[in-house]
Amino acid sequence: MGDDAPRHDSAEQLHQRIDSSKAHPARVYDVFLGGKDNYAADRDAAAAALAANPRGYLDVRHNRDFMRRSVNYLTREAGLRQFLDIGTGLPTQENVHQVAQRIAPGARIVYVDNDPVVLAHARALLASGPQGATAYIDADLRDPAKILQAAAGTIDLDAPVALGLVAILHFIEDAEAYDIVRSLVDALPAGSALFLSHLTSDLNAEKIAKVAETYHERGFTFVLRSADEVRRFFTENGLEIVEPGIVPAHHWRPDHVADHDGGAGRDEAYMASLDPIEQTMYRDINDVTDDDINVYAAVAFKR
């Protein structure tokens, strides 16, 4: 196997790659979404972030809901049938292939991540419908050439592709982030789309600054970009942003669908027994104001 081929580590090799002593962004995200594939360090990081911003769990859940709504739009209204989702994270709640293939059973999806915990659970993501295709690539966003080469085994890069960069670019420093997006978009044909979300300090700056500090303390690269800086990912690549533009995530074509049952049937004693993060999982996603969100979201097309 050449150096540019995607990795296919064994379960034992994946286990050896896991450093459970350090928090990982994908696993911290998993904590907030009610997943179980995380470690004490991840739960500590999530708790620190929640203490810094008690309503910050809404950023995570509305970011995830933006993914659902944007994939639904791109599949149902824009007619796209191929998705390249980079920085997939752990398989909590609905994933891109479930949303897309419910509308278009033949849709083809490629997931990309490099966290060994995510990779160890890739089989859950690979449960595609019989008509479609779902593949998983062990690769880093910082190596777009490797991603594109491996993705070509499942999707046709000469046909339109929806590229997903949801809540991942704020972990990449400026110059590198813009170069990465340029390399990926350049490889896609006209008719392709980019759906993107990004943390910002434009919105509720004091709250997100406190959260960023907790992540910096744990060694995360964490770049909060302004609306103009987020817009560069689109304008520098000749992409046409669709309505409503670059907006807080909860304002991107909201449909006000609940993301779970909101704790129905659970009594007060049970709720009181939960820790603060567990309690947030039963709060209504639609109980949100502009003061709660620090995430921009947008979708754009390559014409």
Side-chain angles (χ1 to χ4, degrees):
M1 183 178 294
D3 291 341
D4 293 332
R7 294 175 61 159
H8 297 286
D9 288 351
S10 67
E12 181 179 354
Q13 288 171 318
L14 286 173
H15 182 75
Q16 291 173 349
R17 287 170 57 188
I18 296 171
D19 184 354
S20 61
S21 68
K22 296 180 180 178
H24 187 283
R27 300 196 302 262
V28 175
Y29 198 79
D30 182 63
V31 174
F32 279 113
L33 290 174
K36 304 299 181 185
D37 302 307
N38 48 71
Y39 298 96
D42 307 306
R43 294 188 288 275
D44 173 72
L50 189 66
N53 181 9
R55 299 274 287 176
Y57 67 90
L58 287 164
D59 273 338
V60 176
R61 287 173 56 193
H62 275 281
N63 178 76
R64 186 75 178 189
D65 202 57
F66 160 72
M67 183 278 290
R68 175 187 64 82
R69 298 193 312 275
S70 60
V71 171
N72 183 75
Y73 161 74
L74 289 166
T75 311
R76 188 183 304 279
E77 297 186 38
L80 271 71
R81 297 294 181 264
Q82 301 191 117
F83 291 81
L84 177 58
D85 180 23
I86 304 178
T88 304
L90 285 146
T92 51
Q93 300 185 16
E94 285 201 313
N95 299 282
V96 169
H97 76 280
Q98 292 163 311
V99 178
Q101 291 177 351
R102 183 165 52 245
I103 300 164
R108 307 177 74 82
I109 291 87
V110 173
Y111 291 110
V112 182
D113 211 298
N114 69 339
D115 175 34
V117 175
V118 175
L119 299 169
H121 291 81
R123 287 185 179 179
L125 288 173
L126 294 173
S128 176
Q131 298 177 53
T134 307
Y136 207 99
I137 299 171
D138 179 1
D140 194 302
L141 174 60
R142 294 176 177 85
D143 193 351
K146 178 179 178 180
I147 290 171
L148 292 163
Q149 180 184 26
T154 302
I155 58 178
D156 179 2
L157 296 178
D158 291 325
V161 175
L163 170 63
L165 296 172
V166 176
I168 187 172
L169 288 169
H170 43 245
F171 297 114
I172 308 291
E173 296 288 358
D174 277 345
E176 188 176 16
Y178 292 109
D179 288 345
I180 288 168
V181 175
R182 183 178 305 109
S183 295
L184 291 167
V185 172
D186 280 352
L188 304 179
S192 294
L194 172 61
F195 58 108
L196 178 155
S197 63
H198 200 297
L199 283 166
T200 182
S201 58
D202 286 357
L203 311 171
N204 309 307
E206 184 176 347
K207 293 177 183 177
I208 195 61
K210 291 178 181 177
V211 173
E213 183 178 353
T214 70
Y215 288 151
H216 285 141
E217 289 171 352
R218 288 160 176 79
F220 293 0
T221 296
F222 210 66
V223 183
L224 300 171
R225 294 187 171 94
S226 68
D228 286 343
E229 290 168 325
V230 171
R231 187 171 289 105
R232 282 182 57 195
F233 289 116
F234 301 101
T235 58
E236 290 186 359
N237 294 295
L239 301 176
E240 181 181 316
I241 302 171
V242 300
E243 291 296 332
I246 298 173
V247 295
H250 64 307
H251 287 313
W252 198 90
R253 304 192 180 203
D255 57 14
H256 307 293
V257 172
D259 57 351
H260 56 58
D261 65 9
R266 296 170 177 84
D267 60 27
E268 291 183 11
Y270 173 78
M271 297 298 287
S273 73
L274 302 178
D275 68 31
I277 291 177
E278 291 172 328
Q279 290 177 15
T280 69
M281 298 166 197
Y282 298 107
R283 294 178 185 160
D284 185 359
I285 192 174
N286 294 305
D287 175 22
V288 62
T289 72
D290 290 348
D291 291 336
D292 295 322
I293 299 300
N294 307 278
V295 180
Y296 280 133
V299 173
F301 286 90
K302 184 174 183 178
R303 301 301 187 186

